[in-house]
Amino acid sequence: MMKKFIALSALLCGLTFAVHAQEEKKQQDITAIKAMCGCYEVTFKYTETFAPEIDYEKHHDYTASALEWAQLIEEDDNKLSIQHLLVVNDTMVVKHWRQDWEYENREVFYYDKVNSWKFTTLPRERVKGQWTQKVFQVDDSPRYSGSATWIHADGRHYWENKTASPLPRREYTKRTDYNVMFRGNRHEITDYGWLHEQDNDKVIRENDREDLLLVQEKGYNRYTKVADERCQLARDWWKENEKFWAKVRNSWSAIYDKAGVLTLKKKVDNKPLYMHFYPLAKEAHGKKEITELIAKFIADKPEADVQGK
């Protein structure tokens, strides 16, 4: 009897320790994610590296810089949402990308091609202890998502994942020789801020064929923390516009909840979606008008794929 009692006590102590350790690890993850908020001087650097075909002519390196405000716009026990805003010439604010982090989340979307995403549910055991990063475009439409574990070891704090995405904004109007970027993303918290390091494959994806690698690429997006006052313009802009964009996110959420495959038109009336949002935002339209606008961009089937040919 005593042996059973001791064994049961040991089991309960072990379970208590495991739960405590898991909660402590989760809090470390949350601290790392929230460390990406604030005002940053950002440098973007990309260079093409390896191409399997010897006659491939590598494109020029890409470099750029920006001042960016990352605003925590939603927080609960299992979700953190960060909206990025660009400050241009200290006079103008441009709504940039958004990243949502969800703990042990099972609902993800994967980019296929031709502006189409497949929404799927992951097995519960597959995401245990993991965080899904969902990245959204400037109009809050989907971009890419992936699930992985935050690592805290040897003084380093990072999360990394590989997933397919559309072409980056720096190339989608300039390149027609590939149609999918298979992204290797690493977010690492550093002493100066954080680093978004990338190992990307630019691939040609066609039906019933394996992805064909065109060229690989290395990317470093370095976020150097500066005083929040540098981004005051963006902070003020968000206060004025956050209610409108909350309605936009709600409209998209209703669509995502129903989606199996979501295909979006690139333009309606010769304008991309984000350009249609400008007048709606200025006139402070409600969710009904926003939902009706987004519906115009949902396609019954993919448009012809002119990439990768």
Side-chain angles (χ1 to χ4, degrees):
M1 191 71 180
M2 181 60 70
K3 290 183 178 180
K4 290 183 178 180
F5 176 77
I6 293 173
L8 180 59
S9 298
L11 177 61
L12 291 174
C13 287
L15 290 174
T16 301
F17 178 80
V19 170
H20 177 74
Q22 183 179 7
E23 185 58 32
E24 186 176 329
K25 166 65 168 57
K26 183 181 177 183
Q27 290 306 312
Q28 278 188 297
D29 299 344
I30 291 172
T31 298
I33 293 168
K34 292 172 75 171
M36 289 186 279
C37 297
C39 188
Y40 294 92
E41 289 180 345
V42 192
T43 56
F44 306 93
K45 295 182 179 180
Y46 296 91
T47 185
E48 293 188 342
T49 54
F50 167 77
E53 299 296 330
I54 60 173
D55 59 347
Y56 175 81
E57 185 174 342
K58 293 185 176 67
H59 285 241
H60 293 302
D61 291 355
Y62 176 89
T63 61
S65 60
L67 183 66
E68 187 155 307
W69 174 250
Q71 171 78 47
L72 184 65
I73 62 173
E74 185 178 342
E75 178 180 9
D76 62 31
D77 289 343
N78 293 315
K79 182 178 179 181
L80 299 162
S81 181
I82 303 173
Q83 177 63 58
H84 292 253
L85 304 168
L86 291 175
V87 181
V88 182
N89 297 324
D90 295 324
T91 60
M92 183 173 68
V93 176
V94 176
K95 183 176 178 291
H96 205 194
W97 62 298
R98 186 180 104 239
Q99 52 174 332
D100 287 359
W101 292 87
E102 299 180 23
Y103 185 67
E104 295 188 344
N105 163 71
R106 299 175 62 198
E107 306 303 322
V108 295
F109 51 83
Y110 293 127
Y111 186 66
D112 182 25
K113 59 184 175 65
V114 205
N115 232 30
S116 289
W117 291 261
K118 295 178 179 179
F119 286 69
T120 188
T121 300
L122 298 176
R124 193 179 305 277
E125 61 275 11
R126 162 72 172 77
V127 299
K128 185 173 178 57
Q130 294 188 348
W131 288 83
T132 298
Q133 184 202 39
K134 296 180 179 178
V135 172
F136 300 88
Q137 312 201 70
V138 296
D139 52 21
D140 287 318
S141 60
R143 190 158 182 78
Y144 59 86
S145 73
S147 184
T149 304
W150 272 92
I151 305 298
H152 310 283
D154 299 329
R156 298 180 62 192
H157 309 275
Y158 63 94
W159 177 98
E160 58 185 359
N161 176 262
K162 289 190 76 73
T163 191
S165 81
L167 271 62
R169 285 176 289 274
R170 57 192 157 84
E171 290 192 339
Y172 78 96
T173 61
K174 302 174 183 177
R175 302 282 296 264
T176 59
D177 53 346
Y178 77 102
N179 63 347
V180 172
M181 175 171 277
F182 199 60
R183 305 176 60 103
N185 295 303
R186 180 182 298 107
H187 292 254
E188 181 163 0
I189 309 306
T190 66
D191 56 358
Y192 58 79
W194 62 284
L195 176 69
H196 183 191
E197 184 178 356
Q198 299 175 44
D199 290 285
N200 301 324
D201 293 343
K202 298 177 180 181
V203 304
I204 301 166
R205 177 173 292 179
E206 298 179 354
N207 291 336
D208 303 322
R209 294 187 182 181
E210 289 188 14
D211 290 350
L212 178 65
L213 175 65
L214 180 69
V215 65
Q216 293 180 323
E217 174 188 73
K218 187 70 180 182
Y220 287 99
N221 296 347
R222 181 184 174 104
Y223 289 74
T224 302
K225 191 81 163 64
V226 297
D228 286 354
E229 289 73 19
R230 292 273 307 277
C231 291
Q232 189 60 47
L233 190 68
R235 298 166 75 180
D236 293 341
W237 186 92
W238 185 250
K239 287 180 181 178
E240 295 173 3
N241 292 275
E242 60 180 328
K243 289 183 179 179
F244 173 79
W245 288 104
K247 295 174 185 175
V248 173
R249 294 195 305 275
N250 288 336
S251 293
W252 276 118
S253 292
I255 293 167
Y256 298 153
D257 287 343
K258 299 176 183 176
V261 174
L262 176 65
T263 301
L264 298 175
K265 301 174 185 177
K266 294 181 178 179
K267 293 182 178 181
V268 169
D269 296 331
N270 208 34
K271 291 191 298 185
L273 178 55
Y274 72 88
M275 292 187 67
H276 287 272
F277 274 136
Y278 291 154
L280 287 187
K282 289 180 180 178
E283 298 169 18
H285 279 288
K287 184 179 176 181
K288 179 175 180 292
E289 291 82 3
I290 293 169
T291 301
E292 290 174 351
L293 171 60
I294 294 174
K296 294 179 181 179
F297 277 81
I298 298 176
D300 294 330
K301 60 181 181 179
E303 299 171 355
D305 187 4
V306 298
Q307 308 277 353
K309 305 296 184 184

